[in-house]
């Protein structure tokens, strides 16, 4: 099989590019901080039984460690609960997000905190939150004819202003 | 009938087959026109430039836009082109024209049923709708006719593939020592890929979604049907792309005045597509809960290697064009570009499509990069990407290819080549505007698939310019694309009025490095199909097994939507009512409007 | 063997209008006939190296600046 | 390359070249904004870019007609 030498050169460069891409992604996955993908760690649950769930029945933020918080979020047509989600600054927050009805999205606008929300599955993502501020949250997966109104708010407040509980 | 002294055309030699090709193209272009109309409605609506439908109907428009363009338009064009390629390259008529007519009829009936079901979504009183978008993720539920139409359509494509394989076997019996002609080779490898890919969507539709929409089963597993969709959903993008590749490899070099640079490498490319197109679908699910990171990593590496055949194609096709330019007397490192037939809309259309594909390739690389997907997932970046790939590389090549094929299929000249040139150039410019705006908007976090990306509680922050300006860009781009689509359809329609002319036939020159330079094993379809199946099993057995083990074949429960809302908790009732009051009022208003 | 060649005539007789905008005429008339061995697509190589450079540059920017600089990294 | 029956110079190449150049110039603003953080107002950029492009087109056209007179 005759291959022109320029083509061989391009084949080599193409492979180099591909390996470079895989290497970059791998670097992101093991570097500091190591970027973790949404995985299969979360539980499964019946979306119709969410209201009886110990955490999702009354979704909100709770303190689980020294500077660690857990935020239980329910996405449903066409809202996020709780809204707003209030967390203190300079903490590590793990979001547990599930759906009560159809597939939704959960995206903290302008950041990399982003996940699909699939009924029956709990999406789990941990982020480090530094400065106080406000972020919009959007549902980025079509979820019905009111989809465009589905938004939320993430409020990061200074630690001394945080009242420690549910913002609802 | 005026006469020329040129060669016989395809329609002269194979009138029945040419008729099939024309019919398939006709369905494709009707769908294209409707899809383009729905496209411009969206472009103007979501940017809030011009809104004349309620936002709740936006998703009916979006579903119709997606299904009409990427299922009906692309695939009908594909079967027409492939029928031409098979008949032409084997140089033999179809084995049984009744079979050929049957699959075209099945595909058409399926498309009409699905299309009408979607469009009934505009008429609330009928109570039939399919506002589930092209991806139809459960537990959003469409009317059973939506799934049934899709199933009939799929069966039609399967019979089409069988028809072409039958032609191959018949040809092979008469030419046992010949290499498969390149065009037929593309058709056969592409259809093998299609058979493997459609396993996923066939299982999802026939075993889960259709029985579920008929009420035969209570629940489905949303993650499972979604994964089965993407099992099909990525290879289908290559299914759209292969007709464009067929034209780039076999027609473009000829129009440029050159010859294909390397037939052996082309075969390697198409084998790679067959092998790698399917075991990558999980890259659409990088952010799905319930699928382990390791499976996502495997999908990512497979996807990155799937770049290879496209990168090789870029070289081979451009080199073939350069060969044409040099034969036409072009000189210099870049000066040869000036010696190309830029006034020919078929040539220019394909070249501009290829240029856009190079740009779309880059945004695709970003999409494929597992963790960087967090940045762009489900933002407007993604439609920005695929409007460059399927929306330009594929669609524009199909339009350009039509300009070249048209006389071969009808013995009539094109109505106007200058209008054709204007059309492809306007498409290119319009897409540059729209796609640029979409990519940039996506990086600012603006989501895709929404009627009103204007939120109450926050604003999108921009690195430069403003969201308003991006919206204007997007709307202008979308409008230009619509104008271009109209120019294309009008040009074809007026071409029917041209007198028939004999001698419009065109030949395709042989490759510079012909098929005999490549090992025979490349033509072993059974071998490649078997390896492809093994790769698919390796990539999918464990994730699918894990999904079923975690939440069962029919999922952990849950209702179908839209359904009668049954509120099961007083605590959330008030909140839900408040939230949905706006949407409900809008619905009521719409109904009242109609009744009045 | 080339696949199913229809005819040697390629529409060359349709005059300048046809020729300037449609497919070029029969390749028997070509200025130079370049075979696979003697044709070095150096223009293609140059173009594709430029593309390669753009790809690498854009990738580095998108990954290390846009993505890693984007805040709220998912770490678990 | 005169006398080559295949070499047909047409204005088609100028049109396509112009459009491709226009798109490149258009994208340049995105590159400035995203890569270099230089926020050029679109109200200024696009009219100026358009004027430059039209100027180039006119100049090219003038040069070509001069060239063809000499040739």
């Amino acid at each position: 099989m005759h291959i022109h030498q320029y083509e061989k050169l391009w084949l080599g460069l193409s492979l180099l590019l591909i390996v470079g891409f895989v290497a970059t992604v791998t670097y992101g996955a093991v570097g500091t901080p190591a970027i973790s993908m949404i995985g299969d760690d979360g539980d499964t649950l019946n979306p119709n039984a969410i209201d009886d769930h110990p955490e999702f029945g009354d979704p909100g933020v709770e303190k689980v460690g020294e500077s660690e918080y857990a935020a239980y979020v329910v996405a449903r047509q066409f809202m996020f609960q709780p809204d707003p989600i209030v967390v203190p600054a300079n903490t590590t927050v793990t979001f547990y997000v599930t759906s009560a009805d159809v597939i939704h999205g959960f995206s903290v606008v302008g950041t990399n905190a982003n996940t699909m929300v699939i009924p029956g599955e709990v999406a789990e993502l941990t982020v480090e939150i530094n400065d106080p501020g406000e972020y919009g949250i959007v549902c980025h997966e079509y979820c019905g004819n009111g989809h465009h109104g589905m938004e939320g708010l993430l409020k990061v407040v200074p630690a001394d202003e945080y009242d420690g509980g549910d913002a609802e | 009938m005026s006469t020329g002294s040129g060669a016989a055309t395809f329609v002269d030699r194979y009138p029945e087959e040419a008729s099939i090709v024309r019919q398939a193209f006709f369905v494709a272009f009707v769908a294209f026109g409707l899809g383009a109309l729905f496209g411009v409605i969206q472009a103007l609506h979501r940017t809030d430039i011009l809104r004349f439908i309620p936002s709740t109907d936006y998703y009916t428009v979006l579903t119709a836009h997606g299904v009409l363009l990427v299922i009906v338009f692309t695939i009908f064009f594909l079967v027409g082109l492939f029928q031409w390629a098979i008949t032409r390259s084997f140089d033999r008529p179809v084995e049984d024209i009744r079979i050929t007519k049957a699959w075209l009829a099945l595909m058409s009936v399926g498309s009409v049923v699905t299309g009408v079901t979607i469009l009934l979504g505009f008429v609330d009183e009928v109570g039939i709708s399919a506002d589930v978008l092209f991806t139809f993720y459960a537990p959003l539920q469409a009317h059973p006719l939506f799934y049934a139409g899709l199933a009939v359509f799929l069966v039609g494509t399967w019979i089409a593939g069988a028809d072409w394989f039958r032609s191959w076997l018949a040809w092979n019996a008469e030419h046992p020592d010949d290499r498969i002609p390149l065009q037929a080779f593309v058709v056969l490898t592409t259809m093998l890929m299609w058979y493997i890919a459609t396993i996923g969507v066939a299982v999802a539709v026939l075993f889960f979604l259709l029985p579920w929409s008929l009420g035969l089963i209570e629940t489905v597993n949303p993650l499972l049907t979604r994964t089965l969709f993407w099992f099909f959903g990525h290879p289908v993008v290559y299914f759209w792309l292969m007709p464009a590749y067929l034209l780039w490899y076999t027609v473009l070099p000829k129009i440029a005045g050159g010859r294909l640079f390397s037939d052996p490498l082309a075969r390697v490319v198409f084998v790679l597509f067959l092998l790698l197109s399917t075991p990558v679908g999980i890259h659409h699910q990088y952010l799905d809960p319930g699928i382990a990171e390791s499976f996502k990593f495997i999908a990512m590496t497979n996807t990155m290697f799937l770049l290879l055949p496209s990168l090789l194609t870029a070289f081979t096709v451009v080199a073939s064009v350069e060969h044409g330019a040099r034969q036409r007397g072009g000189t210099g490192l870049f000066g040869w570009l000036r010696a190309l037939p830029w006034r020919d809309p078929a040539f220019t259309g394909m070249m501009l499509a290829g240029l856009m594909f190079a740009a779309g390739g880059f945004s695709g690389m970003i999409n494929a990069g597992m963790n960087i997907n967090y940045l762009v997932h489900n933002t407007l970046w993604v439609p920005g990407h695929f409007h460059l790939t399927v929306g330009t590389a594929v669609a524009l090549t199909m339009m350009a290819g039509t300009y070249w094929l048209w006389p071969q299929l009808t013995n009539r000249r094109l109505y106007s080549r200058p209008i054709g040139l204007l059309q492809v150039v306007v498409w290119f410019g319009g897409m540059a505007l729209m796609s640029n705006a979409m990519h940039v908007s996506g990086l600012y976090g603006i989501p895709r698939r929404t009627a009103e990306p204007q939120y109450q509680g926050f604003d999108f922050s921009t690195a430069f310019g403003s969201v308003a300006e991006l919206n204007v860009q997007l709307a202008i781009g979308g409008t230009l694309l619509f104008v271009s689509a109209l120019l294309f359809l009008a040009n074809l329609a007026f071409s029917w009025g041209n007198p028939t002319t004999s001698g419009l036939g065109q030949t395709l020159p042989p490759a510079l490095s012909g098929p005999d330079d490549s090992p025979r094993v490349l033509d072993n379809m059974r071998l490649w199909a078997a390896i492809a199946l093994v790769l698919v099993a390796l990539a999918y057995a464990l994730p699918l097994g894990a999904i079923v083990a975690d939440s069962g074949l029919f999922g952990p429960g849950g209702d179908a939507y839209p359904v009668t809302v049954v509120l099961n908790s007083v605590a959330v009732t008030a909140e839900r009512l408040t939230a949905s009051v706006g949407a409900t009022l809008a619905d009521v208003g719409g109904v009242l409007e109609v009744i009045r | 063997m080339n696949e199913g060649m229809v005819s040697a005539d390629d529409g060359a007789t349709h005059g300048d209008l046809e020729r300037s905008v449609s497919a070029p005429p029969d390749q028997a008339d070509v200025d130079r006939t370049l075979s696979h061995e003697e044709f070095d697509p150096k223009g293609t190589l140059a173009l594709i190296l430029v593309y390669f450079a753009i790809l690498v540059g854009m990738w580095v920017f998108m990954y290390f600046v846009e993505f890693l600089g984007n805040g709220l990294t998912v770490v678990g | 390359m005169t006398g080559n029956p295949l070499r047909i110079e047409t204005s088609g190449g100028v049109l396509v070249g112009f459009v491709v150049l226009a798109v490149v110039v258009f994208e340049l603003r995105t590159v400035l904004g995203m890569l270099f953080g230089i926020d050029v107002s679109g109200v200024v950029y696009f009219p100026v870019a358009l004027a430059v492009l039209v100027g180039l087109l006119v100049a090219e056209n003038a040069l070509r007609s001069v060239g063809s007179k000499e040739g």
Side-chain angles (χ1 to χ4, degrees), chain B residues 254-255 322-323 344 358 371 507, chain C residues 7 10 21 24 34 44 51 63:
Chain B
K254 182 252 163 34
I255 306 178
E322 183 183 353
H323 179 258
D344 181 354
N371 36 34
T507 61
Chain C
S7 153
D10 203 10
V21 291
L34 293 166
T44 301
Y51 181 51
Y63 199 95

Side-chain angles (χ1 to χ4, degrees), chain B residues 437-466:
Chain B
M438 285 178 158
H439 278 99
V440 174
S441 300
L443 290 179
Y444 298 156
I446 299 177
R448 65 186 285 201
R449 296 182 147 182
T450 172
E452 297 176 15
Q454 295 95 21
Y455 293 91
Q456 307 297 318
F458 65 95
D459 292 316
F460 295 101
S461 63
T462 56
F464 74 99
S466 66

Side-chain angles (χ1 to χ4, degrees), chain B residues 128-171:
Chain B
I128 292 178
S129 72
D131 300 341
V132 290
L133 309 193
F134 157 65
T135 46
F136 53 87
Y137 297 140
L140 288 173
Q141 194 181 60
H143 191 275
L145 284 174
F146 173 85
Y147 305 111
L150 275 183
V152 171
F153 173 85
L154 273 184
V155 171
T157 64
W158 290 342
I159 299 174
D163 198 15
W164 300 327
F165 271 92
R166 190 175 166 202
S167 286
W168 172 48
L169 293 176
W171 173 86

Side-chain angles (χ1 to χ4, degrees), chain A residues 20-143:
Chain A
F21 288 159
V22 173
T24 319
V25 172
T26 309
Y27 163 80
V30 300
T32 337
I35 300 157
S36 167
M37 297 310 293
I38 308 291
D40 60 350
D41 322 330
D43 294 334
T44 60
L45 75 180
N46 183 340
N48 284 350
I50 274 184
D51 299 317
D52 305 326
H53 190 275
E55 304 293 351
F56 291 112
D58 179 23
V61 179
E62 46 188 73
K63 187 167 183 168
V64 291
E66 180 53 31
S67 61
E68 291 172 16
Y69 290 78
Y72 289 87
V73 180
V74 174
R76 61 172 83 225
Q77 289 176 329
F78 298 101
M79 63 190 333
F80 292 102
Q81 298 167 307
D83 184 25
I85 301 166
V86 184
V87 295
N90 299 308
T91 53
T92 303
V93 178
T94 302
F95 293 94
Y96 298 87
V97 194
T98 195
S99 166
D101 38 48
V102 300
I103 295 181
H104 294 280
F106 174 87
S107 170
V108 183
V109 175
T111 78
N112 295 336
N114 187 345
T115 183
M116 296 303 299
V117 185
I118 298 178
E121 309 285 335
V122 177
E124 197 180 317
L125 62 160
T126 302
V127 298
E128 280 161 10
I129 291 182
N130 299 322
D131 300 329
E134 276 190 8
Y135 298 91
I137 295 173
V138 297
C139 169
H140 60 50
E141 185 59 80
Y142 167 65
C143 58

